[in-house]
Amino acid sequence: MFFDAFVASFASVAVAEIGDKTQLLSLFLAARFRSRGAIIAGILVATLLNHAASAWFGAWVAQFIPEGWHAWLLGGSFIAVALWLLIPDKDDSEEVSVLKYGAFFASCILFFLAEIGDKTQVATVLLAATYPETWQVIFGTTIGMLAANVPVVYAGSWLLERISLDWARRVACAIFMLLGVLTILMY
């Protein structure tokens, strides 16, 4: 079950992050600060804190979910996230006073705030409600967040010139739809 919880968590967040506002935030921070390591460390700390709280909340909620509903809950959430992916996020990081605190603190604070109510936070809650391995969910979602955002920190401008965010969101939507249907059918 460890492998299932980790892989589902990793894949869900890595795919859900495609074209997400946190990728735009990564690009903004990389353009603003030279210290890539500090940006990535801020992303890591913010994600660990946010996703740990979300996963523990999801684990608590799981006790109220009737037996046999987990597949429908997870599959339905994948489908809901698929549809949510079609709505483009906006970069609202332009006017931020927290930038004066440097790359690490700015990244940490901005990422933590950007994740509140975001689709990956919702996915983390639902994954933790589905899988009893809460730490594997936290680990998987955190690694998924880094997998989606670290390349943007290092090569964001280059990637944006070559990949259409609209196309990427549609592919991510299709992947999530497929995951949702497979989850419902295979549970």
Side-chain angles (χ1 to χ4, degrees):
M1 201 67 167
F2 165 83
F3 193 68
D4 291 345
F6 173 79
V7 170
S9 300
F10 170 82
S12 297
V13 170
V15 171
E17 277 298 298
I18 296 172
D20 190 66
K21 67 185 168 202
T22 51
Q23 282 191 323
L24 297 173
L25 179 57
S26 295
L27 183 62
F28 169 75
L29 290 166
R32 177 72 169 81
F33 298 107
R34 297 183 73 101
S35 179
R36 304 293 190 247
I39 295 169
I40 293 166
I43 293 169
L44 174 63
V45 169
T47 303
L48 280 171
L49 292 173
N50 190 294
H51 289 200
S54 301
W56 286 322
F57 177 72
W60 176 76
V61 167
Q63 66 185 326
F64 303 109
I65 299 171
E67 195 66 34
W69 283 30
H70 287 100
W72 288 100
L73 176 68
L74 185 60
S77 69
F78 280 150
I79 292 168
V81 169
L83 297 173
W84 193 353
L85 282 166
L86 295 176
I87 302 168
D89 284 323
K90 295 182 179 104
D91 180 11
D92 53 357
S93 59
E94 292 296 331
E95 302 171 21
V96 182
S97 63
V98 73
L99 296 175
K100 65 184 175 188
Y101 297 113
F104 173 76
F105 287 111
S107 299
C108 191
I109 292 166
L110 293 174
F111 257 81
F112 186 85
L113 293 174
E115 277 299 295
I116 295 174
D118 193 55
K119 58 187 152 278
T120 51
Q121 184 184 43
V122 172
T124 302
V125 170
L126 293 168
L127 286 160
T130 303
Y131 294 103
E133 298 85 7
T134 306
W135 284 104
Q136 288 80 3
V137 170
I138 296 167
F139 185 61
T141 58
T142 300
I143 299 299
M145 179 69 77
L146 292 172
N149 286 291
V150 169
V152 174
V153 171
Y154 282 105
S157 297
W158 182 85
L159 288 170
L160 284 177
E161 292 171 4
R162 287 159 180 77
I163 299 172
S164 161
L165 288 181
D166 188 48
W167 178 84
R169 276 191 291 275
R170 289 176 189 200
V171 169
C173 174
I175 292 169
F176 261 84
M177 282 287 190
L178 179 64
L179 286 172
V181 171
L182 288 175
T183 299
I184 291 169
L185 293 176
M186 297 178 82
Y187 243 93

